[in-house]
Amino acid sequence: MTPVLLLAAEKESAQVTDWAARIGWVVGLGLFVALVYWLMREGWKWRGTLQGDLPELPTAPDDPGPEKLSLNGRYHGSTTAGQWLDRIVAQGLGTRSRAALTLTDAGLDVVRPGASDFFVPVAQLREARLDKGIAGKVLTEGGLLIVTWAHGDRLIDSGFRSDHAAEHNEWVEAINSMIETNTREGVER
C-alpha cells in the first residue's frame, strides 16, 4: 500500500454530537416559543377585556331592501377610527376572515363565514375611503376599502379588500353618497 492510501484509511471522524446538549437546546427553544405564544394570547384576551364596553354588534334587519352593491373578499379587522394600529378585538371584530358585503338602503351587511356577522345601519355610517393599511395588513396605496362607522360611543374603521380591487372606488362613491343623502334628509326633518 502506498503511504497516501494508508493515511486516508486510518482517519476516523471525531464524535461531534452531544445529544444531551442538543436535546436540551431544542426543548428550551420549544418552551420559549410556547411562552411567546402564550403571552400573545394573554395580550389578545386583555385587549378584549379593555374593550368590554363595546355593545353587541347589530344584525341585519329581516327586510333590508334591494341590493345596491355586493362584494366578496376579505375582512382584515377593525380599529379605532383614525388610529390604524389600535385594533378592536371585542365582539369578534378582531377576527380576520372571508367576507361578503352587501349594501342596501338600510345599511351595510357584513357576512363572515366562521366569524360573527354584523350590520351597520345607514345612520351609523360616517365615511368610506381607500387606504393602504389597517392593523395587521398593509398594502399599496388604495388597496383597502375602509368604512368608518359609529357603534355605541366609538367610531370604528373596518378594513375590507375585494377579490376584485377595481370595485373599491364604486363602493367608496356609493357609501359616501348614501351618507350625504341620509345627512341631508336628517337635516331637512
Side-chain angles (χ1 to χ4, degrees):
M1 276 190 154
T2 62
V4 175
L5 290 175
L6 285 175
L7 283 175
E10 292 177 19
K11 271 195 169 176
E12 289 185 23
S13 331
Q15 195 67 295
V16 195
T17 308
D18 178 7
W19 285 104
R22 183 171 287 187
I23 289 171
W25 276 103
V26 169
V27 168
L29 183 61
L31 289 173
F32 177 74
V33 169
L35 173 68
V36 168
Y37 276 115
W38 179 78
L39 288 171
M40 288 170 53
R41 183 173 166 264
E42 290 301 307
W44 189 268
K45 287 171 36 180
W46 175 72
R47 181 174 281 277
T49 302
L50 288 178
Q51 298 166 348
D53 63 335
L54 194 68
E56 287 286 322
L57 296 172
T59 57
D62 293 333
D63 184 23
E67 175 183 301
K68 289 183 169 193
L69 286 174
S70 66
L71 173 149
N72 287 313
R74 293 202 62 82
Y75 167 78
H76 287 289
S78 292
T79 63
T80 302
Q83 299 176 10
W84 72 284
L85 290 175
D86 186 20
R87 183 187 298 265
I88 295 176
V89 300
Q91 304 297 342
L93 288 175
T95 306
R96 291 177 60 174
S97 62
R98 293 281 307 156
L101 276 65
T102 306
L103 186 63
T104 65
D105 288 328
L108 177 66
D109 188 19
V110 181
V111 176
R112 303 184 306 154
S116 19
D117 302 340
F118 61 95
F119 181 78
V120 181
V122 71
Q124 270 40 65
L125 290 170
R126 296 296 182 258
E127 176 191 22
R129 68 182 188 281
L130 298 180
D131 211 330
K132 64 180 177 181
I134 197 158
K137 188 66 172 180
V138 177
L139 297 165
T140 59
E141 190 65 47
L144 282 175
L145 169 65
I146 305 292
V147 177
T148 303
W149 53 289
H151 185 55
D153 60 349
R154 292 185 189 200
L155 279 180
I156 297 173
D157 283 343
S158 293
F160 304 94
R161 175 139 175 103
S162 173
D163 290 338
H164 308 284
E167 296 175 331
H168 289 172
N169 288 325
E170 184 180 9
W171 274 81
V172 169
E173 291 171 14
I175 291 173
N176 287 334
S177 173
M178 282 179 67
I179 293 168
E180 187 177 307
T181 302
N182 190 50
T183 304
R184 198 175 358 181
E185 288 174 359
V187 170
E188 290 174 1
R189 288 183 193 162

